[in-house]
């Protein structure tokens, strides 16, 4: 499959290998932050995107040192968000946690704080209400992020996560939120585009154009497998599925995106079982041949 | 969960019990067409939506007789579509099969032929190309459907089926197709709205309004379970999940929809294992209390 759509056929340039970044979720079961950062550096990869629990495990100061010592750029901190909750107290706690996430992202000099909105509060069917809570929560953290120099990147998640993970499900919807919260496009809020979540969207190209350079804060990659055996943990390596990743990257670049290409593969039964060196060397190859 | 959002709180009328219809997929493992139709009638339900393989199994003439003898309305025939294919020959075969489906729907006096578009041809990542094949395929059958008195109902499927079942994934996209193929809104083509596929869509209300009475050809119901354990066969009974079905029905009615409410539950490990009488009496109750 990986050579089925050669990148060069449509005038899309091969990706610069220096733009590869690895989200630590790709090495979930095999590596703590220290091991992940060392392995990533050893493979000549320049970027990392840690999850907050991996940072907490290492300790924030040590995490920042580990990243620095390995010469890595932090393409994003995963993740803030999860705003909707049944009561005021829980909603306030979520906002406070997001403010802490901004601080962590600032300490790590992350390019952005990735936001996964959150789904419906337990027992609720009020989707419009959950979406208002996301808007209000984002509104409460934007100013803090701006003053800390940490842009907030709303990541629309695939509609199959609407109930339990994120009720922001299309790029257009995420950009409507950006327009509402930051209509001058100050750069305080933008979007993270993960091909896994948005590849199906008939409006994808148009919405990437609409976002433009200012709001395209991150680009995440993996692949959609056929069949997909689990809603969360059966994502594929680039080239093993059906997503035309070079096409989407081409749209991002045409819109002005110059950031890194972050590999985030949640794969409980396949890639998480592999040796991290095999995972990372495959990521490097597939970045060139299938992304 | 079922009484969490009482129907009457927001001024949405209780559904008319006479509008309930049962898609035979809800009784997949327990009933052939004859048993399904008899059970449906026995429970005082007035509509049925058979799948084509159940019709073929009974024989088309006998299927029509079974439906008639049980006094049932056929709310839709499932299904035509599946247009994208790698070669011209396969695409032609798909169109021919759709023309046969129109004939079957006409014989059954079905209110519409439900169209599931089809996904990517094997080995392809050309999503735009697949969508063009759907448009072209639909274009080839509309005229035939019109002359047979069978409206064609494009059912947008949840984006998680984009790769392998249907590359028409939002109501807006389906309506764009309708506009392109039948801009005078003759009634030859419209949409089937299944809450399972569209409940997450931030544009849902707007697109239902846009569709209007002429293009709203069918309304399908089940529920989104949390967690969902299988992408295809883990759908829930109305009231057991998170979809605000009365809200969506209310939008349909406000837009002029007066058709039936068809229950289609693909549930391999739960409802398919139950006695059909238990399934149908639960459908009747949940139609009133949670739809």
């Amino acid at each position: 499959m990986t050579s089925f759509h050669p990148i060069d056929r449509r005038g899309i340039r091969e990706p610069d290998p220096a733009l590869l970044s690895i989200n630590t979720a790709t090495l979930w079961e095999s590596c703590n932050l220290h091991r992940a950062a060392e392995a990533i550096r050893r493979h000549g990869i320049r970027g990392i995107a840690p999850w907050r629990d991996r940072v907490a495990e290492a300790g924030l100061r040590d995490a920042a040192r580990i990243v620095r010592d390995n010469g890595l750029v932090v393409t994003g901190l995963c993740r803030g968000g999860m705003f909707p909750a049944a009561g005021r107290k829980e909603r306030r706690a979520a906002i406070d946690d997001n403010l802490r996430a901004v601080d962590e992202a600032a300490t790590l000099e992350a390019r952005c704080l990735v936001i996964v909105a959150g789904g419906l509060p337990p027992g609720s069917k009020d989707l419009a209400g959950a979406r208002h809570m996301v808007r209000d929560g984002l509104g409460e953290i934007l100013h803090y992020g701006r003053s800390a120099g940490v842009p907030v990147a709303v990541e629309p998640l695939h509609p199959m996560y609407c109930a339990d993970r994120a009720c922001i499900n299309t790029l257009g919807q995420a950009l409507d939120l950006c327009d509402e919260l930051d209509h001058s496009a100050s750069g305080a809020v933008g979007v993270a585009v993960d091909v896994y979540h948005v590849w199906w969207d008939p409006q994808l190209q148009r919405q990437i154009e609409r976002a433009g350079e200012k709001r395209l804060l991150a680009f995440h990659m993996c692949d959609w497998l056929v069949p997909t055996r689990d809603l969360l943990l059966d994502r594929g390596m680039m080239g093993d599925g059906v997503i035309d990743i070079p096409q989407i990257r081409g749209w991002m670049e045409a819109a002005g995106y110059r950031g890194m290409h972050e590999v985030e593969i949640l794969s409980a039964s396949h890639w998480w079982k592999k040796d991290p060196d095999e995972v990372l060397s495959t990521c490097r190859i597939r970045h060139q041949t299938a992304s």
Side-chain angles (χ1 to χ4, degrees), chain A:
Chain A
M1 278 294 262
T2 63
S3 62
F4 189 81
H5 290 254
I7 287 176
D8 52 2
R9 247 196 228 148
R10 291 165 299 179
I12 302 165
R13 279 171 306 194
E14 277 198 13
D16 179 352
L19 292 179
L20 183 59
S21 174
I22 304 293
N23 185 298
T24 60
T26 307
L27 307 170
W28 198 264
E29 288 184 358
S30 57
C31 293
N32 60 19
L33 186 65
H34 188 254
R35 281 197 64 193
E38 284 198 334
I40 288 167
R41 178 192 47 74
R42 201 167 57 239
H43 282 265
I45 298 169
R46 315 265 293 263
I48 190 170
W51 278 59
R52 288 178 71 201
D53 49 2
R54 285 283 179 264
V55 170
E57 198 180 72
L60 179 59
R61 299 288 143 195
D62 281 347
R65 187 187 46 73
I66 288 167
V67 167
R68 211 167 42 236
D69 288 355
N70 285 286
L72 299 175
V73 170
V74 175
T75 50
L77 177 63
C78 287
R79 63 190 189 192
M82 297 294 166
F83 294 110
R88 277 172 58 92
K89 216 165 155 181
E90 297 103 303
R91 288 201 293 282
R92 185 67 243 174
I95 289 162
D96 290 341
D97 186 57
N98 274 273
L99 298 177
R100 282 192 297 276
V102 167
D103 288 337
E104 293 165 25
T107 302
L108 293 165
E109 298 179 37
R111 297 275 169 94
C112 63
L113 172 65
V114 174
I115 298 289
V116 172
L120 291 163
S124 169
K125 304 188 186 194
D126 182 5
L127 189 51
R131 285 166 171 166
H132 287 149
M133 292 181 203
V134 172
R135 180 201 58 196
D136 294 346
L138 277 171
E140 295 250 6
I141 68 166
L142 279 198
H143 181 71
Y144 193 74
R146 189 186 284 120
S147 58
V150 176
V152 160
V154 180
E155 182 170 355
L157 252 55
H158 196 284
M160 68 185 173
Y161 304 122
C162 183
D164 50 358
R165 281 188 174 74
C167 57
I168 306 298
N169 304 103
T170 66
L171 191 51
Q173 187 193 9
L175 291 169
D176 287 347
L177 256 183
C178 293
D179 285 348
E180 187 178 348
L181 293 168
D182 180 40
H183 59 92
S184 67
S186 72
V189 62
V191 292
V193 175
D194 185 320
V195 300
Y196 191 79
H197 297 303
V198 299
W199 73 278
W200 59 271
D201 185 352
Q203 296 212 26
L204 183 57
Q205 182 177 11
R206 195 180 322 164
Q207 296 297 334
I208 288 174
E209 283 168 9
R210 170 188 167 195
E213 190 181 353
K214 267 264 173 116
R215 288 207 163 131
L216 294 172
L217 299 179
F219 181 57
H220 299 178
M221 307 181 303
C222 67
D223 214 334
W224 182 279
L225 300 178
V226 178
T228 290
R229 297 179 196 282
D230 184 89
L231 273 78
L232 185 63
L233 302 179
D234 193 26
R235 302 186 190 176
M237 178 64 68
M238 298 83 74
D240 288 344
V242 299
I243 305 178
D244 188 345
I245 304 171
Q247 175 74 273
I248 300 175
R249 178 174 60 81
W251 293 337
M252 294 283 290
E253 291 171 355
Y257 181 72
R258 298 290 175 267
M260 296 181 85
H261 310 153
E262 183 181 319
V263 179
E264 184 179 31
I265 305 176
L266 282 67
S267 168
S269 60
H270 191 79
W271 292 105
W272 285 0
K273 300 296 178 205
K274 301 268 187 197
D275 182 89
D277 284 317
E278 184 184 345
V279 177
L280 293 173
S281 60
T282 310
C283 285
R284 284 206 55 161
I285 293 165
R286 299 296 182 84
H287 181 228
Q288 292 302 294
T289 59
S291 313

